[in-house]
Amino acid sequence: PQAVSLRFSIGASQGVAQVAISINPVMYPRRLGSGPESMVKPLLKLIDTADNELQQFESCMALCNLATVEDLRERIVSASGWRTLQMTLASDNELVQRAAIEVMSNLVTHEDILPRFLSADSTDVKIFVGFCGSDDEKTQVAATGAIAMIAGVPEIGAALIAAGVLEPLIDLALLTENLELSHRAAVALERFFSLNTDLMVGTQDKQMPEHALTVLGALVMLAKSTCEPAKKAALTAIVHLSHERPDIKLPPPDAVAQIVVKLKQENEQRRAQEAAEAEANTAPRAASDADADADADASTWSREKQP
């Protein structure tokens, strides 16, 4: 009976998820005990008890939709949703990971979540900095969007910079053709320059940090972007820098071009290395499977030969 009850609960929660994915949460009737807030706990429970990854994916997609409404974000956070979503990121399924990070991105500005990003060593900072460099563009869009939002808090911006967020943002600014990513990277960089100027280019009495040349080159490239919001953000950062630090000069176009060439080469080398490692890891598994098949064939042949 207990197993039957759990399976019924899972099936019902999946039905709720499928409804919540397709309907704008603002359109739900708000009746006490039966509004969209009543969906949150079943959806979070489904992530933990799901029979398969599709159910986890649909639950995360539903929560992402609900998290676009302020009071529903509050409901998700108060129901320990952040921790559940954190655990979901351990999934090997890229779609499940993406859906979870999209929900979390909608929650980062909540007053109970922001303090999680105040330390460069925090798990949450490492998660979002890591997903900024994801190979999946939609995951990158979610992660960089979250970083662009919370970069408006100077202490959080300092933690993100210390955790190495500039590297993936510079790569996006200089290499991506995705306008959504360009926009988010530009906004994040503009906020870092405006609120953490010294961390970006160093203080006047000290040597510029190693990342300064490339991040200034990223501004130069973004200022020429065909994406108007990205261009506007970059120009805002440049104007701020000219007022606050007139001693800082933007790199010339030739220097920026050299930076872009170097980054492209490094990315190509990294991808080639990852492909080689993946192939090397696949080979032993294939050999092991082949040995298992051979043992099974030998065992079958032996039984067939027995009188």
Side-chain angles (χ1 to χ4, degrees):
Q2 186 175 358
V4 173
S5 176
L6 177 60
R7 191 157 298 280
F8 176 80
S9 175
I10 291 172
S13 295
Q14 186 175 14
V16 169
Q18 291 168 348
V19 170
I21 290 171
S22 58
I23 298 177
N24 184 338
V26 175
M27 304 300 292
Y28 286 108
R30 306 307 289 266
R31 300 187 185 94
L32 184 64
S34 62
E37 63 276 358
S38 64
M39 297 179 173
V40 170
K41 286 188 176 180
L43 291 173
L44 290 172
K45 185 177 180 181
L46 178 60
I47 294 175
D48 287 332
T49 60
D51 290 327
N52 53 63
E53 291 169 331
L54 175 61
Q55 292 170 345
Q56 288 185 315
F57 172 72
E58 289 181 336
S59 182
C60 286
M61 289 291 289
L63 287 167
C64 186
N65 198 20
L66 294 179
T68 59
V69 177
E70 184 176 356
D71 61 329
L72 296 179
R73 285 197 293 272
E74 175 66 36
R75 185 78 169 190
I76 294 169
V77 172
S78 64
S80 302
W82 187 267
R83 179 61 177 164
T84 299
L85 293 162
Q86 262 190 341
M87 299 300 291
T88 309
L89 294 175
S91 172
D92 292 330
N93 188 300
E94 190 175 84
L95 293 178
V96 173
Q97 281 189 339
R98 180 204 297 169
I101 206 74
E102 286 175 340
V103 188
M104 295 172 78
S105 296
N106 281 345
L107 300 175
V108 292
T109 56
H110 189 280
E111 61 181 8
D112 291 340
I113 301 300
L114 280 173
R116 291 175 171 271
F117 294 89
L118 289 171
S119 169
D121 295 325
S122 80
T123 299
D124 296 298
V125 166
K126 292 176 181 178
I127 285 171
F128 277 85
V129 170
F131 277 109
C132 267
S134 171
D135 290 330
D136 178 66
E137 281 196 345
K138 290 184 178 180
T139 301
Q140 282 184 301
V141 167
T144 54
I147 283 173
M149 287 189 287
I150 62 178
V153 180
E155 296 82 1
I156 291 177
L160 291 169
I161 293 169
V165 75
L166 294 180
E167 182 178 347
L169 291 179
I170 290 168
D171 283 353
L172 292 174
L174 294 174
L175 302 178
T176 190
E177 296 179 358
N178 184 310
L179 297 183
E180 287 184 291
L181 286 173
S182 291
H183 179 203
R184 285 158 176 76
V187 170
L189 291 174
E190 183 270 320
R191 289 178 174 173
F192 290 145
F193 271 105
S194 296
L195 301 172
N196 296 99
T197 309
D198 288 347
L199 293 179
M200 297 297 280
V201 295
T203 56
Q204 291 186 4
D205 57 339
K206 292 184 179 180
Q207 187 175 358
M208 292 175 69
E210 291 184 4
H211 62 247
L213 179 61
T214 50
V215 77
L216 289 170
L219 277 190
V220 172
M221 290 291 288
L222 288 167
K224 300 176 182 178
S225 174
T226 57
C227 175
E228 285 302 319
K231 182 177 180 178
K232 180 179 178 181
L235 291 172
T236 300
I238 291 171
V239 170
H240 170 82
L241 197 59
S242 69
H243 290 160
E244 296 295 319
R245 293 293 302 277
D247 57 304
I248 299 296
K249 306 301 179 185
L250 296 177
D254 289 347
V256 176
Q258 290 176 7
I259 293 171
V260 172
V261 169
K262 182 182 178 182
L263 286 176
K264 285 183 177 179
Q265 290 174 344
E266 290 175 351
N267 277 353
E268 288 172 1
Q269 291 172 359
R270 178 179 60 82
R271 291 182 185 279
Q273 183 178 353
E274 289 174 351
E277 290 174 354
E279 186 175 349
N281 292 333
T282 302
R285 288 199 298 270
S288 177
D289 292 343
D291 290 342
D293 291 342
D295 290 343
D297 290 343
S299 177
T300 301
W301 180 84
S302 176
R303 287 197 301 273
E304 289 176 348
K305 290 300 183 180
Q306 290 178 1

